């Protein structure tokens, strides 16, 4: 498994992640969603460099031009609900992609809220056979949701290649994903890796609950 952390280089990605974290900026839900969408653009652009390309001719009013155009079919998959703005950014770049959606929620299995489970209830997807699958979600806390959703999507076919894309990941989740997928060609893309996963399985410093910040509190 290859790990790519976009914040290891100086770029505007760091500004967007900083705004997502900033409690003063988080009060503006539109700005929060917008930054998730823009980070989708940035990550999608980097992922696009890994696709297969082929030369094609394009007719202009004055002649023909030859360009290297993507030969792969892409499917963008996201986890309801926090993943929607991030997914929108990817769809702006891969605008002809197929789309897949899955509902997965985590729940605490003990009173101390130190152990969590993940449940999948809904999935909709095109065939994934020989496609490039991008599974995108803002937060990679434990890696359990990503793994469970990916395994569920495999019922829809066998992708040619797979990319997991997150905004913020915990170091323990990165290590966990490397253990699960270390001998595969899956790539994990993230915009920051934070050092701590607290006793309630939240990333620290993280940014809080991405779904609530994007769409409002839930009960």
């Amino acid at each position: 498994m290859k790990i790519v952390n976009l914040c290891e280089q100086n770029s505007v990605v760091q500004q967007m992640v900083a705004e997502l974290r900033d409690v003063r900026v988080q009060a503006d839900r539109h700005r929060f969603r917008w930054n998730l969408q823009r980070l989708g653009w940035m990550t999608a652009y980097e992922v696009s460099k890994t696709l297969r390309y082929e030369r094609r001719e394009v007719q202009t009013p004055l002649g023909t031009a030859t360009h290297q155009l993507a030969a792969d079919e892409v499917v963008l998959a996201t986890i309801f609900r926090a993943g929607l703005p991030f997914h929108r950014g990817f769809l702006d770049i891969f605008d002809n992609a197929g789309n897949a959606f899955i509902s997965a929620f985590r729940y605490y299995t003990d009173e101390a809220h130190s152990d969590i489970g993940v449940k999948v209830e809904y999935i909709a997807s095109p065939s994934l056979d020989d496609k490039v699958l991008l599974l995108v979600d803002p937060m990679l806390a434990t890696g359990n949701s990503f793994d469970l959703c990916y395994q569920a999507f495999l019922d829809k076919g066998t992708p040619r290649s797979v990319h997991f894309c997150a905004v913020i990941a915990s170091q323990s989740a990165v290590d966990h994903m490397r253990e699960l997928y270390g001998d595969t060609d899956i790539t994990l893309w993230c915009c920051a890796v934070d050092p701590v996963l607290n006793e309630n399985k939240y990333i620290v410093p993280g940014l809080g609950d991405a779904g609530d910040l994007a769409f409002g509190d839930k009960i």
Side-chain angles (χ1 to χ4, degrees):
M1 174 179 238
K2 182 179 181 181
I3 313 294
V4 181
N5 181 357
L6 298 181
C7 271
E8 288 181 342
Q9 299 179 358
N10 291 330
S11 74
V12 292
V13 165
Q14 296 217 28
Q15 173 65 34
M16 296 170 194
V17 175
E19 288 193 9
L20 285 177
R21 295 186 192 269
D22 192 326
V23 294
R24 297 167 299 177
V25 182
Q26 286 181 350
D28 184 345
R29 289 180 191 164
H30 177 267
R31 185 71 182 179
F32 189 85
R33 294 192 301 270
W34 179 238
N35 279 320
L36 285 178
Q37 183 173 338
R38 293 197 297 169
L39 286 167
W41 298 345
M42 301 295 177
T43 310
Y45 171 72
E46 296 298 329
V47 173
S48 75
K49 299 176 184 179
T50 71
L51 301 180
R52 297 178 299 178
Y53 285 81
E54 61 186 19
R55 293 172 63 86
R56 298 181 192 170
E57 288 190 346
V58 178
Q59 185 66 48
T60 81
L62 301 177
T64 58
T66 303
H67 291 275
Q68 292 286 110
L69 302 181
D72 285 317
E73 292 185 62
V74 174
V75 174
L76 303 175
T78 197
I79 305 171
F80 289 137
R81 65 181 168 146
L84 293 175
F86 196 39
H87 175 271
R88 172 62 187 271
F90 279 86
L91 189 56
D92 286 341
I93 303 303
F94 297 116
D95 52 356
N96 289 315
N99 290 267
F101 300 94
I102 191 167
S103 70
F105 64 90
R106 69 180 197 170
Y107 58 93
Y108 294 107
T109 61
D110 62 338
E111 292 184 0
H113 288 189
S114 60
D115 189 30
I116 64 171
V118 179
K119 184 175 182 180
V120 172
E121 288 190 327
Y122 169 86
I123 184 170
S125 174
S127 170
L128 299 180
D129 284 330
D130 203 35
K131 307 291 178 58
V132 176
L133 173 65
L134 278 63
L135 179 55
V136 309
D137 192 59
M139 309 301 286
L140 180 63
T142 66
N144 292 335
S145 294
F146 264 76
D147 177 49
L148 186 63
C149 292
Y150 173 57
Q151 298 302 325
F153 277 124
L154 290 181
D155 287 340
K156 305 300 182 180
T158 303
R160 190 187 67 78
S161 63
V162 178
H163 301 267
F164 296 153
C165 305
V167 174
I168 298 178
S170 73
Q171 185 60 56
S172 62
V174 172
D175 295 340
H176 179 58
M177 299 301 274
R178 187 181 282 115
E179 286 183 13
L180 290 175
Y181 299 108
D183 60 349
T184 71
D185 61 357
I186 292 175
T187 302
L188 171 61
W189 303 80
C190 51
C191 301
V193 178
D194 285 357
V196 176
L197 190 67
N198 70 17
E199 63 276 8
N200 294 324
K201 309 303 182 187
Y202 278 95
I203 302 171
V204 179
L207 54 76
D209 189 302
D212 288 355
L213 290 166
F215 299 110
D217 295 343
K218 56 186 177 293
I219 59 173

